[in-house]
Amino acid sequence: MDTTPSFEEHVLKDRTIATVLVVDDTPDNLALMSTLLRDHYLVKVANHGEKALRIAQSDTPPDLILLDIMMPGLDGYEVCRQLKAHPVSRDIPVIFLTARSTPEDERRGLAAGAVDYITKPISPPILLARVHTHLALKATADFLRDKSAYLEREVALRTLEVQAIQDVTIMAMTSLAETRDNETGNHIRRTQLYVKALAERLARHPRFEAVLNDRMIDLLYKSAPLHDIGKIGIPDSILLKPGKLTAEEFEVMKTHTTLGRDAIENAERRLGMRVAFLSVSKEIAYSHQEKWDGSGYPLGLAGDVIPVSARLMAVADVYDALISRRVYKPAFSHEQACTTIVKGRGSHFDPDMVDAFVELAEDFRQIALKYPDPE
């Protein structure tokens, strides 16, 4: 014989004794219902609708309500409607208990939100059976609701954990790159913010609105710090050279784009899955040195073939490189950097992105002022 508890028994066994609220304006009816129910449930009573609403919407609401229809003031239909309209009481099952027995009365009661309709004079066994049934159904619904809320909290927690892992991964990788390069952490922060500002401005542009949704802008912001991760693989003699690179040295320097892509692809293979922010990071790392007219590297891509993410980074990276002091050059002024970007419209940079940059030039300047390089 199977002795496994039913789902109903499992849900009900850990519950405290259920509370039933009886609402009726006749004292004899309240007394009768209390006598029938008190051996099984905690019974509360209310002799009018307003009191019933106060009890139902209190800090200790009942588990079920037996509600008369014909009462002075608020009738049962209106009490039921108000119960169902309030977040505290909307899930409490309501059983109408009334002498009104026409089909239309029953239809109105169920339409108001009741789960059952019992006519007077009542049959005690039927009343107790229906109360038990609806309390069991409510216990099941409460269990499922609690389970759903728990799962939602768990999903939110896991999502935060994944985001934190992504952020720490990016921070670790970019910190490693900074130990090799002469650029600073503020360069990473500035380019992140430049890319985000440009993307948000272009999100309303017909050419970009299908790509630059909120999710993509968040991925761009998260991925931008990895744009030069490939420089880890460039020899110090080239990476830190104070003077101009020779043609051969420049060819080696150009490989940082491929090295960056390969490093991120390797991370993806180790994970065994595609991760959105790594895919965007890979685009940026590999293609941010491409130019609109096809004269960039590593592939010589041109126009819209260059990923949007890489085109955004190209503007952000060049602007920041121009305004930053390096061992091989002094810092340009904001105005000089803007002039250089505008001159590159349609050759180095996507024309529409340059137009957006011009509109945001003051925002770029403020970002640079807020996150300066240390002296």
Side-chain angles (χ1 to χ4, degrees), residues 244-262:
K244 184 177 180 180
L245 298 179
T246 66
E248 293 77 13
E249 289 169 338
F250 185 57
E251 288 303 312
V252 175
M253 178 63 83
K254 285 162 62 173
T255 64
H256 81 276
T257 55
T258 304
L259 291 170
R261 178 204 61 184
D262 292 349

Side-chain angles (χ1 to χ4, degrees), residues 5 21 26 52 56 71 135 188 216 221 227 247 252 262 290 337:
L21 171 63
T26 304
M71 295 184 295
L135 283 172
I188 299 297
M216 183 60 175
Y221 180 78
H227 67 281
V252 175
D262 292 349
E290 301 286 2

Side-chain angles (χ1 to χ4, degrees), residues 146-179:
D146 291 345
K147 184 78 169 177
S148 177
Y150 169 78
L151 291 174
E152 286 178 6
R153 289 193 298 271
E154 285 296 299
V155 168
L157 179 61
R158 297 295 176 264
T159 300
L160 286 174
E161 288 177 352
V162 169
Q163 290 174 347
I165 291 169
Q166 290 180 357
D167 293 343
V168 169
T169 301
I170 292 171
M171 190 180 305
M173 294 176 75
T174 53
S175 295
L176 180 61
E178 287 167 25
T179 65

Side-chain angles (χ1 to χ4, degrees), residues 122-297:
I122 62 150
S123 165
I126 290 176
L127 173 69
L128 291 172
R130 292 195 184 178
V131 167
H132 173 79
T133 296
H134 287 294
L135 283 172
L137 290 172
K138 181 179 184 296
T140 303
D142 289 346
F143 175 85
L144 293 174
R145 216 168 8 252
D146 291 345
K147 184 78 169 177
S148 177
Y150 169 78
L151 291 174
E152 286 178 6
R153 289 193 298 271
E154 285 296 299
V155 168
L157 179 61
R158 297 295 176 264
T159 300
L160 286 174
E161 288 177 352
V162 169
Q163 290 174 347
I165 291 169
Q166 290 180 357
D167 293 343
V168 169
T169 301
I170 292 171
M171 190 180 305
M173 294 176 75
T174 53
S175 295
L176 180 61
E178 287 167 25
T179 65
R180 299 274 348 280
D181 201 353
N182 53 25
E183 294 172 350
T184 70
N186 278 351
H187 165 73
I188 299 297
R189 181 66 173 147
R190 291 192 300 266
T191 50
Q192 258 192 315
L193 294 169
Y194 300 150
V195 166
K196 183 180 181 184
L198 270 179
E200 288 176 342
R201 177 58 60 94
L202 289 166
R204 300 185 295 273
H205 193 288
R207 283 184 60 213
F208 303 105
E209 60 186 0
V211 176
L212 295 177
N213 52 43
D214 290 344
R215 169 67 173 153
M216 183 60 175
I217 292 172
D218 182 60
L219 289 174
L220 287 166
Y221 180 78
K222 205 178 280 283
S223 304
L226 297 180
H227 67 281
D228 274 340
I229 190 67
K231 287 184 177 179
I232 294 172
I234 304 300
D236 286 350
S237 59
I238 295 174
L239 189 64
L240 304 179
K241 184 177 179 178
K244 184 177 180 180
L245 298 179
T246 66
E248 293 77 13
E249 289 169 338
F250 185 57
E251 288 303 312
V252 175
M253 178 63 83
K254 285 162 62 173
T255 64
H256 81 276
T257 55
T258 304
L259 291 170
R261 178 204 61 184
D262 292 349
I264 296 169
E265 280 187 346
N266 186 52
E268 285 183 313
R269 279 195 299 271
R270 288 177 179 273
L271 281 172
M273 67 179 73
R274 291 180 62 85
V275 180
F277 93 93
L278 287 178
S279 296
V280 176
S281 299
K282 185 166 55 178
E283 284 183 354
I284 293 174
Y286 192 47
S287 301
H288 71 282
Q289 295 291 350
E290 301 286 2
K291 296 183 179 180
W292 184 255
D293 63 5
S295 63
Y297 63 87

